[in-house]
Amino acid sequence: MSDAMRCHSAQLGGPMSLTKVLLPRLGVNIDHVATVRQARRAAYPKPTWAAQLAELGGADQITLHLREDRRHIQDEDLFLLRKTVQTRLNLEMAATDEMLRIAFEAKPDMVTLVPERRQELTTEGGLDVAGNKDLLKRMVAELKSADIHVSIFVDPDLDQVQTCHRVGADAVELHTGRFCEAKSVREAQEEHTRLVHAAKTAVKTKLRCYAGHGIHYDNVGDIASILEIEELNIGHSIVARAVMVGMEQAVRDMKAIAQAARRDAVLFAKR
């Protein structure tokens, strides 16, 4: 982690607490366990197995994306996970009436509203909240009426973050893809600065702040060092490592790196 990124992350604007030292929580996205299964239309590997092992490894939350095209996670997976997950269940979904109905039936602990296009390999960019205020305001209100915590996946854009507050969301998940895919040190620093400013804006508007997309073992420390971010949702890199070392160990490794980076960032801020 660069000193410049530590400096950006250290601008707290308030006292540090023990809670901030211990965070961020780790949400493990198990979509790509289902991707392996669906590649052969087999009965295995089961996402429920992966979730149990992830929790044994220290996962604080299990995340899954039920896409409209059902390319990996299936409806049955969601309902089985609701019965078996011991921590928190985070359902990523498009803002559609079909998905709203499924969320009401499954009752996850949290829903994260995400954009979705059938052609994409994975989620590309954040949801345009500013351009869909009326729809999202209705969706958020209906989900919250069912006692479901609502987060919205957005780019680290101040207007989008502020609009999430206006539509009634409980939290934002900042899209970290541009930072994670940066081609130069300068580009990475610029994108990290955008994440820092967006995280601070979220907290100022009383939104919880999460982050995800493209995070892996070599860059998680830079994201975890942003003290306003209290939760990371990570999937592909953990599942890829799990192929080599097992899911439980892959989760332990990721969590240890994130927590060490958070402790270092807090100590740096105290200097």
Side-chain angles (χ1 to χ4, degrees):
M1 192 191 316
S2 70
D3 284 348
M5 290 181 186
R6 283 198 184 95
C7 287
H8 282 134
S9 304
Q11 296 166 358
L12 294 175
M16 289 168 292
S17 67
L18 180 60
T19 303
K20 282 193 171 183
V21 178
L22 298 177
L23 294 174
R25 295 187 303 272
L26 177 60
V28 176
N29 186 312
I30 56 170
D31 290 348
H32 292 302
V33 174
T35 297
V36 174
R37 179 193 62 193
Q38 296 304 110
R40 292 288 295 270
R41 296 294 190 268
Y44 59 86
K46 294 184 183 295
T48 49
W49 298 347
Q52 289 168 358
L53 291 169
E55 289 182 323
L56 286 172
D60 302 293
Q61 174 173 279
I62 300 300
T63 295
L64 72 160
H65 183 176
L66 183 64
R67 297 183 65 101
E68 292 184 279
D69 61 12
R70 306 303 197 271
R71 68 175 62 171
H72 38 54
I73 293 293
Q74 305 297 302
D75 295 50
E76 181 184 20
D77 296 322
L78 169 61
F79 289 99
L80 286 173
L81 286 162
R82 176 65 290 177
K83 292 178 181 178
T84 57
V85 165
Q86 300 297 302
T87 52
R88 284 165 45 89
L89 187 64
N90 172 27
L91 172 62
E92 296 180 343
M93 67 179 219
T96 67
D97 288 328
E98 179 203 10
M99 290 297 160
L100 187 64
R101 176 185 58 77
I102 292 171
F104 284 156
E105 189 175 350
K107 296 191 180 300
D109 299 290
M110 178 166 77
V111 158
T112 301
L113 297 172
V114 300
E116 200 170 293
R117 292 191 302 115
R118 287 183 181 270
Q119 313 95 292
E120 65 190 4
L121 288 175
T122 184
T123 304
E124 299 173 355
L127 195 56
D128 180 11
V129 185
N132 295 276
K133 285 186 287 189
D134 292 341
L135 169 64
L136 292 171
K137 190 171 185 178
R138 175 176 68 84
M139 284 278 174
V140 169
E142 293 196 43
L143 288 165
K144 290 176 73 170
S145 73
D147 293 324
I148 297 173
H149 183 79
V150 183
S151 176
I152 304 180
F153 184 72
V154 294
D155 289 328
D157 176 271
L158 303 190
D159 183 51
Q160 294 290 351
V161 171
Q162 290 164 348
T163 307
C164 287
H165 170 68
R166 295 188 193 108
V167 301
D170 299 300
V172 292
E173 180 174 339
L174 299 179
H175 181 277
T176 53
R178 289 189 181 88
F179 167 74
C180 295
E181 296 163 9
K183 304 301 183 186
S184 68
V185 172
R186 179 178 178 179
E187 183 184 357
Q189 289 176 340
E190 289 173 351
E191 292 300 329
H192 192 267
T193 298
R194 290 183 68 210
L195 288 166
V196 170
H197 290 162
K200 291 181 183 301
T201 298
V203 171
K204 286 178 182 176
T205 55
K206 308 302 182 185
L207 290 167
R208 315 298 289 267
C209 188
Y210 314 144
H213 198 80
I215 300 174
H216 52 71
Y217 292 84
D218 293 329
N219 63 24
V220 65
D222 294 325
I223 305 300
S225 71
I226 302 173
L227 301 185
E228 289 78 11
I229 293 175
E230 59 182 84
E231 177 182 294
L232 303 175
N233 283 293
I234 307 173
H236 185 266
S237 61
I238 291 177
V239 173
R241 188 178 183 90
V243 172
M244 304 300 175
V245 304
M247 178 62 80
E248 187 175 346
Q249 187 61 50
V251 173
R252 288 189 193 283
D253 292 345
M254 182 65 81
K255 192 164 185 178
I257 296 169
Q259 290 185 336
R262 175 57 57 90
R263 287 192 294 268
D264 287 349
V266 170
L267 291 174
F268 191 89
K270 286 181 175 180
R271 291 182 183 177

